[in-house]
Each structure stands twice: as C-alpha cells, then as structure tokens.
Amino acid sequence: MAKLKLGPIADDKPVKVMVELPAALHRDLTAYAEILARDAGQRPADAPRLIVAMLERFIATDRGFASAKRSEGG
C-alpha cells in the first residue's frame, strides 16, 4: 500500500469547480485518485473533489499560514 498524504475522501455533497488544468497535472490527479481509491477500497474521486481535499490538507498542515492566521485573529 502506498503512503499518500491524503486519506480517504469523505462522501460529501459535490461542488462544481471550473478550472483549467495542464494535461499532465490532470493525468497525475487521475492517477493519484486511482491509487488513493485502491488503497481505501473506494471508487476514484473526480478531480474537483480530489483538488478540494488536497487544498484542505495543504492549508491544514501549513504552519506559516496557521501562524499568520492566529496573529490576524482568524
């Protein structure tokens, strides 16, 4: 089993996002979703849900952002 930074993606209400991705990034997102799904025993997530999960994880683990947010009172 691969050690990915993301865990299983919660089955939440889908959100529509319109974004243009480079083809190589889209291929990598698709491959990531397939590996994540295989390891979690789920169906692969679509790119927007995967992007949201990645952004949430990135923000949650960014110490500089957390520190700046605390100093701004947010």
Side-chain angles (χ1 to χ4, degrees), residues 10-34:
D11 187 17
D12 201 0
K13 180 180 176 184
V15 176
K16 288 195 178 214
V17 175
M18 183 175 282
V19 62
E20 191 171 310
L21 302 174
L25 178 57
H26 186 264
R27 285 190 298 272
D28 283 345
L29 284 170
T30 301
Y32 196 104
E34 290 170 359

Side-chain angles (χ1 to χ4, degrees), residues 4-66:
L4 302 178
K5 287 192 174 212
L6 291 181
I9 296 176
D11 187 17
D12 201 0
K13 180 180 176 184
V15 176
K16 288 195 178 214
V17 175
M18 183 175 282
V19 62
E20 191 171 310
L21 302 174
L25 178 57
H26 186 264
R27 285 190 298 272
D28 283 345
L29 284 170
T30 301
Y32 196 104
E34 290 170 359
I35 294 166
L36 183 63
R38 183 189 65 222
D39 290 351
Q42 298 177 335
R43 292 181 42 217
D46 59 5
R49 291 184 65 209
L50 187 61
I51 292 167
V52 169
M54 289 177 158
L55 288 172
E56 287 174 339
R57 172 74 177 192
F58 177 84
I59 289 173
T61 59
D62 187 316
R63 292 181 183 155
F65 174 70

